[in-house]
Amino acid sequence: MSTVRTRMAPSPTGDIHIGSLRTALYAYAFAKKNNGQFILRIEDTDQKRLVEGSADRALKIFKDFGLIYDEGPDLGGDYGPYIQTQRLDIYQIYIKELLDKGLAYYCFCTEERLGEMREVQKAAHKVPKYDRHCLKLTPAEIKENLKKGLPYVIRMKIPDNETIVFNDLIRGQIKFNTNDIDDQVLIKSNGIPTYHFAVVVDDHLMQISHIIRAEEWISSTPKHIILYRYFGWDVPEIAHLTVLLDPTHSGKMSKRHGSVFAQQFLDDGYLPEALLNFLMLLGWNPGTDQELFTLQEFINEFSVEHLHKKSAIFDRKKLDYFNGLYIRQKSDSELFPYFKKFLPLASPEQVEGLVPVLKDRLVKFSDLSEAVKFLFEDVEYDKELLLKKGTSPELATEMLQKSKELFSDFTDLQNRIMDLIRKNNWNTGEYFMVFRVAICGSAFTPPVVDCLPVLGQEGTIRKIDIALKKLA
Ligand code: GLU
């Protein structure tokens, strides 16, 4: 088998979607499993939709997730440049070849004419399709138009009434009739190729052996296959992954229902390795019960045969579960930088104190700031919250006053608090509700006694005084 080369080809029209990260993961794993190369190419032919900075962010995000490409814009490689707008002279050579062979043609139709044409087709209940008006132009007319400097695009001549068949590695045979395919624009009026033209030229020149991409490109594939044929090139193997569905609403994952961009998940405090592990199983299974995979283990196990044909459900609860597992697999010192990042107000000593206390129940790092908000501010709460378990104000006052006396000394706090409860015959649950709310301003908190050393003696006494004032 010749060298396996896969690629990820993001368009810098926004941030990398979590589905694209999954595509990259599978393309990467497939290349690495086969001792091949994974290439990163920036497809920036749609200049109108460019989003400033998104190409650089794309390169960074793949690296942040450990999907280290072998060739790419910032690395170079034997098949560069790896940014399409830097390859315009290359596309010129190939479009000329198609024009010379009569497999592509100049189209000088104006927007108005195309608009009217579409209206007529729509009224006749036909699928809008270019009517090949310009295919009839004579060489002399074309020459004349070019001389006059009329704006033009170059279209691909799609053969009539042919069946194009390809074997999708995941879905099996897919067929299209060419009568349903428009004479695709290959070069736009600004001289820049469309995605369809550039992707074929580049995948061929970069010797891509396997294209693994999203389902939305299936209907483009027959156009690409025709182009391969026109050039006499071998068609790479192609796999179209299924979409990611959100279980909380119908259809694809959408921004309105939570994070969808890879970077957002990092900002939310998911560990890259947890997210990757979650994505591995979202559309692929190992054929065993194993759920936890390092990237290297995934590469070893990966096979296209085990990719799913059915859409994958993006179950955020499952992601949370993975993240918790991965957090708990890390040592306190490994967790330190994450805690520090997500608790910018905490001193290094406070972070050190908090890691062992909080890591056991932590789902994602962005939950930290809310969980320990009380360390950095006096949380607003009502007196009623202190009395949530039906405690009388008098008893709550007594509990807090007696507790306060304990804090002259911070050693063995847990036992000394339990002794105090026992001695006074208080109900443990009731006591801890009063105490928890007094310290944290909330009924749902991390282990409160364990947090006290981080809050410090002064802070602890100050919180109790605030609570006593509310009860007075
Ligand atoms: N540039 C396309 C995108 O943004 C890549 C499609 C493909 O992989 O062929 O998704």
Side-chain angles (χ1 to χ4, degrees):
M1 187 166 157
S2 57
T3 311
V4 167
R5 287 173 58 85
T6 64
R7 53 40 165 203
M8 188 64 200
S11 298
T13 51
D15 283 346
I16 294 295
H17 191 277
I18 194 73
S20 302
L21 183 66
R22 183 190 64 158
T23 305
L25 169 65
Y26 291 177
Y28 171 83
F30 186 75
K32 295 296 138 187
K33 162 109 192 184
N34 293 289
N35 299 316
Q37 290 110 38
F38 173 61
I39 285 88
L40 199 128
R41 179 175 72 228
I42 295 291
E43 300 202 324
D44 58 346
T45 53
D46 193 349
Q47 293 282 305
K48 278 193 224 111
R49 291 179 55 225
L50 282 194
V51 173
E52 183 70 29
S54 63
D56 288 340
R57 289 203 294 280
L59 302 185
K60 182 170 183 309
I61 198 85
F62 292 121
K63 289 182 199 150
D64 286 349
F65 278 91
L67 306 179
I68 308 298
Y69 42 88
D70 300 292
E71 298 163 31
D74 52 343
L75 286 183
D78 291 344
Y79 303 88
Y82 294 88
I83 298 181
Q84 289 186 324
T85 49
Q86 294 174 10
R87 301 172 60 81
L88 298 182
D89 46 346
I90 300 176
Y91 307 123
Q92 284 307 318
I93 300 170
Y94 290 96
I95 199 64
K96 187 164 177 317
E97 182 178 334
L98 293 186
L99 286 167
D100 289 349
K101 288 182 181 165
L103 299 171
Y105 60 95
Y106 290 96
C107 171
F108 298 91
C109 287
T110 59
E111 271 312 314
E112 292 79 60
R113 183 181 179 275
L114 293 174
E116 282 161 23
M117 176 198 80
R118 275 185 222 112
E119 285 308 314
V120 174
Q121 290 171 337
K122 240 172 59 207
H125 303 291
K126 285 191 186 152
V127 183
K129 213 172 124 179
Y130 182 57
D131 60 3
R132 296 188 160 167
H133 178 77
C134 287
L135 188 57
K136 301 177 206 94
L137 294 177
T138 63
E141 284 170 319
I142 295 170
K143 211 168 158 193
E144 181 62 24
N145 283 349
L146 291 175
K147 214 169 107 195
K148 276 197 271 183
L150 291 189
Y152 65 85
V153 300
I154 299 175
R155 290 182 184 272
M156 168 179 182
K157 196 175 152 206
I158 298 282
D160 292 325
N161 198 23
E162 249 189 59
T163 307
I164 303 290
V165 185
F166 70 97
N167 192 41
D168 187 291
L169 293 177
I170 299 172
R171 296 151 197 266
Q173 215 177 62
I174 300 183
K175 287 185 191 173
F176 286 89
N177 188 290
T178 53
N179 286 352
D180 300 324
I181 305 174
D182 203 356
D183 276 0
Q184 175 66 48
V185 172
L186 298 180
I187 301 286
K188 295 179 276 188
S189 56
N190 58 6
I192 295 181
T194 55
Y195 154 73
H196 302 284
F197 189 55
V199 79
V200 169
V201 171
D202 288 350
D203 281 341
H204 172 72
L205 293 180
M206 295 182 182
Q207 297 194 11
I208 300 304
S209 63
H210 293 74
I211 295 172
I212 298 176
R213 66 179 166 205
E215 174 174 294
E216 62 183 301
W217 302 106
I218 291 181
S219 60
S220 303
T221 302
K223 298 176 192 172
H224 302 175
I225 289 177
I226 297 169
L227 281 173
Y228 279 100
R229 193 171 84 194
Y230 283 177
F231 285 116
W233 295 338
D234 289 338
V235 182
E237 300 284 348
I238 306 179
H240 289 100
L241 299 173
T242 55
V243 290
L244 299 183
L245 302 177
D246 201 321
T248 59
H249 63 281
S250 60
K252 286 201 245 176
M253 291 178 68
S254 104
K255 281 185 241 178
R256 281 175 296 132
H257 296 90
S259 297
V260 293
F261 300 112
Q263 182 62 49
Q264 281 181 309
F265 286 91
L266 296 184
D267 296 344
D268 287 346
Y270 289 99
L271 285 165
E273 52 270 50
L275 190 59
L276 276 190
N277 196 154
F278 172 70
L279 292 177
M280 288 168 194
L281 301 173
L282 219 56
W284 172 85
N285 70 75
T288 65
D289 289 342
Q290 186 177 344
E291 274 204 318
L292 296 184
F293 292 89
T294 61
L295 186 52
Q296 188 54 51
E297 286 167 343
F298 178 62
I299 291 168
N300 298 344
E301 294 301 317
F302 186 77
S303 76
V304 171
E305 291 74 42
H306 279 132
L307 287 173
H308 298 169
K309 293 185 175 61
K310 273 194 12 211
S311 306
I313 308 282
F314 195 92
D315 181 353
R316 290 172 197 266
K317 288 206 189 77
K318 178 122 193 220
L319 172 59
D320 286 351
Y321 161 77
F322 272 116
N323 207 48
L325 282 183
Y326 274 86
I327 286 177
R328 281 174 273 296
Q329 275 183 4
K330 287 201 181 289
S331 66
D332 290 2
S333 57
E334 284 170 328
L335 289 172
F336 183 91
Y338 293 97
F339 274 64
K340 185 83 197 79
K341 178 171 164 215
F342 282 88
L343 292 174
L345 295 177
S347 68
E349 295 72 34
Q350 282 180 312
V351 172
E352 250 167 45
L354 287 172
V355 172
V357 175
L358 299 177
K359 76 180 221 188
D360 282 347
R361 287 196 290 174
L362 191 61
V363 171
K364 54 186 191 299
F365 296 112
S366 59
D367 297 339
L368 284 173
S369 62
E370 185 58 33
V372 295
K373 196 162 127 191
F374 64 94
L375 292 176
F376 312 107
E377 63 183 271
D378 291 330
V379 177
E380 270 308 317
Y381 64 93
D382 290 334
K383 167 182 158 185
E384 279 62 45
L385 196 60
L386 289 160
L387 311 175
K388 190 175 152 74
K389 291 227 160 183
T391 317
S392 69
E394 293 73 27
L395 179 57
T397 304
E398 188 194 333
M399 285 170 165
L400 291 176
Q401 252 156 5
K402 290 192 170 157
S403 302
K404 207 172 141 181
E405 288 157 22
L406 292 179
F407 299 119
S408 52
D409 168 12
F410 257 50
T411 51
D412 200 21
L413 267 183
Q414 190 77 44
N415 283 329
R416 286 165 52 232
I417 289 178
M418 292 315 288
D419 281 348
L420 182 73
I421 295 171
R422 230 172 289 128
K423 246 198 286 166
N424 288 284
N425 243 328
W426 293 331
N427 174 297
T428 312
E430 210 182 326
Y431 170 83
F432 274 110
M433 182 54 74
V434 175
F435 188 64
R436 175 184 310 284
V437 173
I439 299 297
C440 310
S442 160
F444 302 99
T445 70
V448 60
V449 179
D450 293 336
C451 288
L452 295 180
V454 183
L455 182 59
Q457 186 182 44
E458 214 184 285
T460 305
I461 290 175
R462 181 188 143 76
K463 301 273 185 193
I464 294 180
D465 284 341
I466 294 173
L468 285 170
K469 231 185 252 155
K470 286 189 198 270
L471 291 166

